[in-house]
């Protein structure tokens, strides 16, 4: 008789063990002690992909600078996904580990507005684009049927919901 392994429950159990998430001393030490290769990498976007790229690169001796259009890191995890869908208590702690590892963050800097890819390619050895998916798809029927002032796309709705700035007037 075959027995099934409840992978979802197993993952939840393993990810809930605090000791798996609060001791980054080995990673910090690896990044600080790794022989620097003299290469500078620009990462555009401080969401999950950009943070992951920076985490790996800094441990391999690269000097990493992350450029982020928002005032804080975290991308859609921080600004769009509701707290009740994902526990974000340790997000900032994990992001702060990157600073301890030597990653530099530049906030409120947007591609095309504050810098260009051409500029970055002159100043850095490589550029990682990790800009995320900050656009909701639209449907023609919605665009034709509902006035702009009465509709939300999913991302803007969730951003406003998370920021507690959602203003929906009943009956309007």
């Amino acid at each position: 008789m075959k027995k099934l392994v409840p992978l979802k429950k197993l993952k939840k159990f393993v990810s809930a063990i605090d000791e798996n998430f609060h001791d980054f001393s080995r990673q910090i030490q690896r990044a600080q002690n790794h022989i620097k290769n003299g290469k500078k990498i620009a990462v555009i976007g401080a969401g999950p992909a950009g943070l992951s790229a920076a985490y790996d690169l800094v441990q391999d001796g690269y000097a990493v600078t992350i450029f982020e259009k928002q005032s804080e890191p975290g991308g859609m995890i921080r600004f769009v996904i509701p707290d009740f869908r994902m526990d974000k208590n340790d997000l900032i702690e994990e992001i702060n580990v990157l600073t301890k590892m030597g990653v530099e963050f530049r906030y409120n800097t947007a591609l095309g507005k504050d810098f260009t890819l051409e500029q970055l390619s002159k100043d850095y050895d490589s550029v990682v684009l990790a800009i995320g998916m900050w656009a909701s798809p639209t449907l023609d029927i919605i665009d034709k049927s509902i006035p702009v002032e009465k509709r939300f796309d999913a991302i803007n709705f969730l951003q406003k919901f998370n920021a507690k700035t959602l203003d929906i007037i009943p009956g309007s």
Side-chain angles (χ1 to χ4, degrees):
M1 178 175 162
K2 289 185 180 181
K3 289 192 176 190
L4 298 176
V5 176
L7 289 179
K8 188 174 183 179
K9 289 182 179 182
L10 183 61
K11 286 180 185 178
K12 186 174 182 176
F13 171 76
V14 171
S15 67
I17 300 172
D18 279 347
E19 65 194 45
N20 290 335
F21 293 103
H22 293 287
D23 183 11
F24 291 96
S25 58
R26 285 185 295 168
Q27 292 89 337
I28 293 168
Q29 186 177 21
R30 186 181 312 127
Q32 291 172 344
N33 295 338
H34 199 286
I35 297 170
K36 306 302 177 211
N37 60 26
K39 303 284 185 186
K40 297 187 321 181
I41 309 292
V43 176
I44 303 172
L51 296 171
S52 296
Y55 177 82
D56 291 336
L57 289 165
V58 75
Q59 289 184 84
D60 279 341
Y62 293 93
V64 180
T65 303
I66 297 179
F67 295 84
E68 172 56 45
K69 71 177 179 179
Q70 304 287 345
S71 60
E72 300 175 85
M76 292 181 77
I77 287 178
R78 184 177 202 152
F79 295 105
V80 177
I81 297 174
D83 293 341
F84 68 85
R85 295 292 297 152
M86 180 178 218
D87 182 12
K88 300 181 207 174
N89 291 331
D90 296 327
L91 178 65
I92 300 306
E93 180 183 340
E94 291 183 31
I95 291 169
N96 288 337
V97 167
L98 289 172
T99 302
K100 292 175 185 173
M101 294 170 89
V103 174
E104 178 187 348
F105 286 87
R106 294 191 188 168
Y107 300 113
N108 301 308
T109 56
L111 175 63
K113 179 182 169 195
D114 301 303
F115 61 89
T116 65
L117 288 175
E118 185 178 23
Q119 286 174 299
L120 290 182
S121 66
K122 289 178 184 174
D123 296 337
Y124 293 86
D125 295 295
S126 292
V127 177
V128 175
L129 286 175
I131 56 177
M133 298 294 297
W134 286 84
S136 293
T138 61
L139 297 171
D140 287 341
I141 192 165
I142 300 294
D143 292 343
K144 292 176 184 174
S145 305
I146 300 174
V148 173
E149 65 274 3
K150 289 191 172 189
R151 65 180 177 222
F152 287 98
D153 65 67
I155 292 174
N156 285 321
F157 174 84
L158 289 170
Q159 271 186 290
K160 290 179 180 191
F161 177 84
N162 283 327
K164 298 182 181 14
T165 60
L166 185 61
D167 188 25
I168 297 178
I169 301 167
S172 63

